[in-house]
Amino acid sequence: MRLWSLHPRHLDRMGLVACWRESLLAQAVLANRTRGYRNHPQLERFRAQPDPLAAIGSYLEQLAREAQSRGYRFDSSRILRPTGDSMPPLITVTEGQLEHEWQHLGAKLQRRSPQDAERWSQSSPTPHPLFRVVPGGIESWERV
């Protein structure tokens, strides 16, 4: 499961679709609708929020907006707690984590999507709108 801290605009088609599916799985875990992945480290930051389902709902809404801007049709009705235009409290992500994910994404794009890799090489990482960047290294929940 990879819940990217990067803005969804950085993801290629395959990454965006995979992130949507994995985020829906994360939502199911947070809603106690599945037994699998309960202890997945990527969920720690969502569980730490006052309303974990609102946080993952906001995360999913941003993915759906990006998909719509590309002409894809993600089923937003699957979001259990849509937040609309109001955002839950921002979740912090460290500079080191964002850079780690940026390099990880770049390696994936080199292998599967040369055109997107070229676009990646000409830009710099920005966070998903749910995240606020703070100083620090790779997050403790990241499995390196």
Side-chain angles (χ1 to χ4, degrees):
M1 180 185 298
R2 169 65 60 186
L3 303 177
W4 295 95
S5 305
L6 296 167
H7 196 289
R9 74 172 154 253
H10 296 303
L11 303 176
D12 63 339
R13 178 191 56 79
M14 189 181 306
L16 185 62
V17 171
C19 191
W20 173 255
R21 284 192 342 259
E22 292 167 7
S23 299
L24 287 172
L25 173 59
Q27 177 182 249
V29 172
L30 293 169
N32 293 315
R33 292 185 172 183
T34 186
R35 292 178 186 245
Y37 293 95
R38 284 186 179 170
N39 298 316
H40 199 285
Q42 288 257 341
L43 296 175
E44 289 177 20
R45 58 186 169 169
F46 289 94
R47 282 198 177 105
Q49 301 311 301
D51 187 345
L53 284 176
I56 196 70
S58 179
Y59 186 88
L60 282 159
E61 283 180 335
Q62 294 296 326
L63 294 176
R65 284 185 188 132
E66 178 62 26
Q68 184 178 28
S69 77
R70 298 185 194 188
Y72 307 144
R73 289 186 286 192
F74 287 8
D75 183 3
S76 295
S77 71
R78 298 184 68 188
I79 301 172
L80 297 179
R81 180 127 355 122
T83 56
D85 289 332
S86 66
M87 288 279 284
L90 294 181
I91 300 172
T92 60
V93 64
T94 59
E95 292 169 338
Q97 181 64 33
L98 206 61
E99 182 60 29
H100 171 74
E101 290 183 25
W102 185 246
Q103 296 306 318
H104 184 63
L105 176 61
K108 284 181 172 284
L109 294 176
Q110 289 291 333
R111 288 192 305 273
R112 70 180 182 216
S113 182
Q115 282 183 317
D116 289 306
E118 179 63 28
R119 181 179 49 85
W120 172 89
S121 71
Q122 296 174 9
S123 60
S124 55
T126 55
H128 182 290
L130 182 61
F131 298 108
R132 178 175 54 90
V133 181
V134 297
I138 296 175
E139 298 278 2
S140 62
W141 46 259
E142 179 66 65
R143 301 302 176 243
V144 191

